[in-house]
Amino acid sequence: MELAQVRLLVTDFAACYRFYADVLGLKPQSGATEGPYEKFSAHAGSAGIALQDRVMMAEVLDELNGTVTGHRSLVVLRVDDLDAYCAEITSRGATLIHGPALMTDRMRVAHLKDPEGNLVELQEWLLLRG
C-alpha cells in the first residue's frame, strides 16, 4: 500500500488553488486554477495534497451536499527552517494562528488556515538539524 495523496474537498477552488500554489509555494501538477481537481507537490518527498471541488464529489457521495462545519482535515508540511518559511509565506498573505513555537523537544510548529478553514501545520524537525 502507498499513500497517494491527501485530498481536500473545497467549495472555493480558485482561492484554495492560489493559497497552496502562491502562498505556501507548492508545485501544481497541471495548472488547473479553476478545478475541479489539482494535485500539489512539495519540493521534496513523494506525498501530495490534492484539491477537489466539493460539488463534484457530492455527485458521487450525496452526504457531501450538507453544510460543512468544524475542522475536517489537518495538512502537515515539514520545512527545514520554520522561521524563514513563516516569514516568507506571511509576506505572501498567509496569517499564522499559532507559532512558530516548540511543540515537543524534537519539533517546532506553526499553524494557519487555508481559505476554506482547513488547518495547515508546518513542522520543523529539530533532530534533523544535528
Side-chain angles (χ1 to χ4, degrees), residues 36-115:
Y37 172 87
E38 179 64 279
K39 182 178 178 185
F40 296 87
S41 302
H43 300 290
S46 60
I49 298 169
L51 303 177
Q52 184 161 3
D53 188 285
R54 186 175 193 86
V55 171
M56 181 183 181
M57 262 321 271
E59 293 173 6
V60 177
L61 299 171
D62 189 54
E63 68 188 72
L64 297 176
N65 279 319
T67 303
V68 179
T69 59
H71 297 297
R72 300 290 178 113
S73 67
L74 172 63
V75 174
V76 179
L77 302 170
R78 186 180 62 81
V79 299
D80 291 331
D81 184 335
L82 185 62
D83 295 314
Y85 187 72
C86 287
E88 181 182 327
I89 65 171
T90 55
S91 75
R92 295 193 303 243
T95 302
L96 298 177
I97 58 173
H98 169 257
L102 195 61
M103 185 168 197
T104 69
D105 61 340
R106 297 177 179 198
M107 182 172 49
R108 294 179 68 233
V109 299
H111 293 93
L112 59 150
K113 293 181 183 179
D114 73 9

